[in-house]
Amino acid sequence: MTPHAASRPARWAASAALLTTGALLTACGAGDGAPGAGGGRATSGGTLTFAVSSDAGCADPQQVGSNDTIYSLRQIVDSLTDQDPKTGKITPWLAKSWDVSPDATTFTFRLRPGVTFSDGTKLTAQVVKDNFDAVPELGALATLPRGYLSGVESTTALDPLTVRVRFKEPNAQFLQATSTHSLGIESAASVRRTPEQRCAEGVVGSGPFVLKSYVQNQSVTLAKRTGYAWGSPLWSKKGEAYLDKLVFKVVPEAGVRVGSLQSGQVDAIGGVGKANEPTLKGGQARLAQRANPGSVFNLGLNNSRPVLKDVRVRQAISYALDRRQIADTVYPTGTRPATSILAHTTPDYRDLTAQLPFDAAKAASLLDSAGWQAGADGIRAKGGARLSLTVKWFANSTTNQPALELIQQQLKAVGIDVVLKQLQIAQIAQVQQSGDFDGLWGNLTRADPDILRTQYSTALVNAYHLPKSPLDSLLTRQAATTDPAERTRLVGEAQQLIVRNAYVVPVVELLTQLGVSRKVHHLDFDASSRIQLHDTWIG
């Protein structure tokens, strides 16, 4: 069976993703253009320099979840499949075809012959098996791939180019998971290294670019892979990439990034905020943006904290937030307030706008009923303790601090004191694992609703310490069903439970916005709103 004549689960994986069409790609207005804007004849050669705001502290694609780092590391690994950003369809890549069993427990991939890693070794079924078998040993940083492979019973190399992955229970999300950077395939030698070695020194992939150097918190340098000939069919260019070299520089200050783009010191920048839009429009750069699927930016509440165990306090936090004001004040033009825990571009998203109103009076009433009374300074207290929460956040986006400062003001207005504590993005896994927080600020991108199970199932990482509840059953069942309508229903009910109980508090959707020099052509977004640079050229 080919990917274009797939079994019911495989067809569903594509058709569900189709729900994202029509809302994924947005331009910034006439004259600004889409990421691939620009005419002229494509030319090979040259260096593209991209400035990002942060570094995740790891050079292994399977162990990173921060967009700033994924931008570079995605270029060094290929995946078994790819996902069309326009249609959501799952297409071949390293796997030329696949079979999915009717109950979605068994996935059999037939690999393309002739694929090699940059160390000269061959892609084989055994290498794929070794990659998947090693994921559970990667530790705290590998939350995403561990979730994708949760429940694996066995991975078997049936012959040199055929690999079978069998799950204990139906796992409808797995086909889409094989298109992600988190399950990008690395060489046998890389897989044998410790997670710490892979983070510090990088890995060997089969991708169109090769990692040449990684200097933590400073830069990532990649070089074109000579002889590359197995790119995704979604790419327009066959064979090797156009560009000779990619340099990703860590530049935390937004103003410095914008100035560097205007002066021509860099060719593209990430983390372009609302304040930077007027400066970049109409000049030698253009704005490119795409809405991210997955979980929205949210206050991830630690449900094990005594104060936050009370659902009334959590709900009060949600009612106290004016999401429209936050979106319009802080974020790029076109950013939507959260209307669920999932972004509207995610398959099986359910619009829960009515459950996420701004209602300060309702917030105050809930806090009153929970026994929290306003003090002389306006901050509520109970039993001599102030209603104070510490929210930790990470310096991987220029919008994080102003958004949280506005949230801080809005919560203070109903009597909740919020202390903001900035950390480096490299600390995120440590903080989540330790549970040493009241609230965490962040989002997680994935073009599949199973992102909810990854984050909120108590059977997995459960970073927000949710109690066991009917939500667990919904998340397990949506991953098991092969009926599209049933999965839509289950995912919808899961979203309602998360929002109704305010286990976490949705705030705004993530809209990725880049600044790109007009001499850069076809810097394209993938289905997860990260970038693909194989087709990119400068001229």
Side-chain angles (χ1 to χ4, degrees):
M1 154 173 30
T2 69
H4 305 291
S7 64
R8 185 178 184 184
R11 274 203 317 272
W12 178 86
S15 62
L18 277 166
L19 296 176
T20 65
T21 60
L24 282 177
L25 183 62
T26 56
C28 296
D32 289 321
R41 186 184 183 94
T43 57
S44 295
T47 297
L48 181 134
T49 304
F50 196 116
V52 296
S53 63
S54 66
D55 171 36
C58 181
D60 178 8
Q62 294 182 4
Q63 297 188 74
V64 297
S66 174
N67 285 343
D68 279 351
T69 303
I70 295 168
Y71 289 157
S72 58
L73 298 183
R74 188 32 161 156
Q75 317 308 318
I76 67 175
V77 291
D78 300 321
S79 299
L80 292 180
T81 64
D82 202 359
Q83 186 174 12
D84 191 326
K86 296 179 181 178
T87 68
K89 182 179 180 179
I90 305 300
T91 67
W93 195 348
L94 293 182
K96 63 181 183 179
S97 63
W98 54 81
D99 295 324
V100 182
S101 66
D103 63 355
T105 60
T106 305
F107 299 75
T108 304
F109 298 92
R110 288 173 286 278
L111 305 179
R112 294 173 64 162
V115 176
T116 62
F117 296 94
S118 59
D119 61 4
T121 59
K122 294 181 179 180
L123 171 70
T124 65
Q126 184 63 46
V127 173
V128 175
K129 170 181 166 56
D130 292 344
N131 269 260
F132 290 173
D133 286 351
V135 164
E137 308 304 319
L138 286 178
L141 290 177
T143 300
L144 293 174
R146 288 209 318 274
Y148 300 159
L149 289 166
S150 174
V152 165
E153 181 177 85
S154 64
T155 301
T156 306
L158 300 178
D159 63 42
L161 292 177
T162 308
V163 62
R164 182 183 66 203
V165 184
R166 180 170 287 162
F167 290 86
K168 298 172 185 176
E169 302 288 342
N171 197 352
Q173 61 85 33
F174 181 63
L175 187 60
Q176 191 277 337
T178 64
S179 72
T180 65
H181 76 278
S182 300
L183 293 184
I185 306 300
E186 301 173 4
S187 72
S190 293
V191 172
R192 287 194 295 267
R193 307 181 85 187
T194 67
E196 294 76 17
Q197 288 174 322
R198 290 162 68 172
C199 267
E201 301 169 27
V203 300
V204 171
S206 65
F209 292 91
V210 179
L211 179 65
K212 286 299 183 182
S213 71
Y214 168 58
V215 182
Q216 188 171 342
N217 293 321
Q218 293 185 35
S219 66
V220 177
T221 301
L222 311 178
K224 178 167 67 176
R225 169 79 188 278
T226 302
Y228 183 81
W230 40 84
S232 166
L234 296 177
W235 302 347
S236 60
K237 187 182 187 299
K238 306 302 180 185
E240 298 176 4
Y242 286 113
L243 294 165
D244 289 335
K245 187 177 180 182
L246 304 174
V247 178
F248 291 82
K249 294 183 176 180
V250 180
V251 182
E253 301 82 7
V256 176
R257 291 198 302 276
V258 171
S260 298
L261 179 60
Q262 288 181 302
S263 66
Q265 296 177 63
V266 302
D267 305 300
I269 61 174
V272 176
K274 190 180 188 73
N276 306 129
E277 292 175 3
T279 303
L280 293 176
K281 284 184 177 180
Q284 295 305 305
R286 66 180 186 276
L287 297 174
Q289 61 176 211
R290 190 177 190 274
N292 285 45
S295 62
V296 299
F297 270 114
N298 64 87
L299 281 176
L301 303 178
N302 186 339
N303 286 250
S304 68
R305 296 292 209 215
V307 170
L308 295 171
K309 283 183 178 180
D310 190 332
V311 66
R312 293 170 296 182
V313 175
R314 301 195 307 268
Q315 290 171 336
I317 293 171
S318 183
Y319 280 115
L321 297 184
D322 186 342
R323 295 169 175 82
R324 170 57 67 184
Q325 182 188 43
I326 296 167
D328 290 348
T329 303
V330 175
Y331 287 91
T333 303
T335 297
R336 296 191 181 199
T339 52
S340 176
I341 184 57
L342 292 178
H344 76 282
T345 52
T346 316
D348 295 330
Y349 151 87
R350 180 173 293 185
D351 188 344
L352 300 176
T353 302
Q355 296 185 31
L356 291 168
F358 168 50
D359 190 339
K362 177 68 172 178
S365 175
L366 284 165
L367 293 173
D368 287 342
S369 68
W372 293 95
Q373 301 300 315
D377 61 355
I379 300 302
R380 293 172 180 266
K382 182 169 68 172
R386 285 164 57 87
L387 183 48
S388 181
L389 303 173
T390 298
V391 174
K392 295 185 177 180
W393 62 281
F394 306 95
N396 64 329
S397 172
T398 55
T399 55
N400 286 350
Q401 183 170 350
L404 284 167
E405 288 175 346
L406 189 49
I407 288 170
Q408 186 181 45
Q409 294 174 22
Q410 293 177 356
L411 292 181
K412 184 177 181 180
V414 299
I416 302 173
D417 177 47
V418 173
V419 177
L420 300 178
K421 185 172 182 179
Q422 179 182 347
L423 301 172
Q424 295 301 309
I425 189 63
Q427 298 173 270
I428 186 169
Q430 173 190 344
V431 173
Q432 287 182 320
Q433 195 171 37
S434 70
D436 184 21
F437 62 90
D438 296 323
L440 280 179
W441 177 249
N443 79 301
L444 199 56
T445 294
R446 188 187 177 190
D448 190 277
D450 196 60
I451 195 72
L452 297 179
R453 185 172 63 97
T454 301
Q455 293 189 283
Y456 307 123
S457 169
T458 65
L460 298 177
V461 176
N462 196 20
Y464 302 107
H465 301 274
L466 272 64
K468 290 184 181 299
S469 74
L471 176 63
D472 288 316
S473 175
L474 290 171
L475 295 177
T476 299
R477 289 158 58 200
Q478 65 80 27
T481 183
T482 58
D483 181 342
E486 177 66 2
R487 193 181 194 212
T488 297
R489 183 185 70 80
L490 293 169
V491 170
E493 289 184 15
Q495 292 170 75
Q496 286 186 314
L497 277 183
I498 292 168
V499 169
R500 184 184 306 132
N501 290 286
Y503 293 129
V504 299
V505 178
V507 182
V508 295
E509 294 190 0
L510 171 62
L511 187 68
T512 293
Q513 180 160 259
L514 309 177
V516 184
S517 167
R518 293 190 182 275
K519 69 179 183 179
V520 175
H521 307 269
H522 288 286
L523 192 155
D524 298 321
F525 289 117
D526 67 13
S528 295
S529 298
R530 279 86 181 230
I531 56 174
Q532 182 278 111
L533 298 173
H534 175 271
D535 290 344
T536 306
W537 56 280
I538 294 178

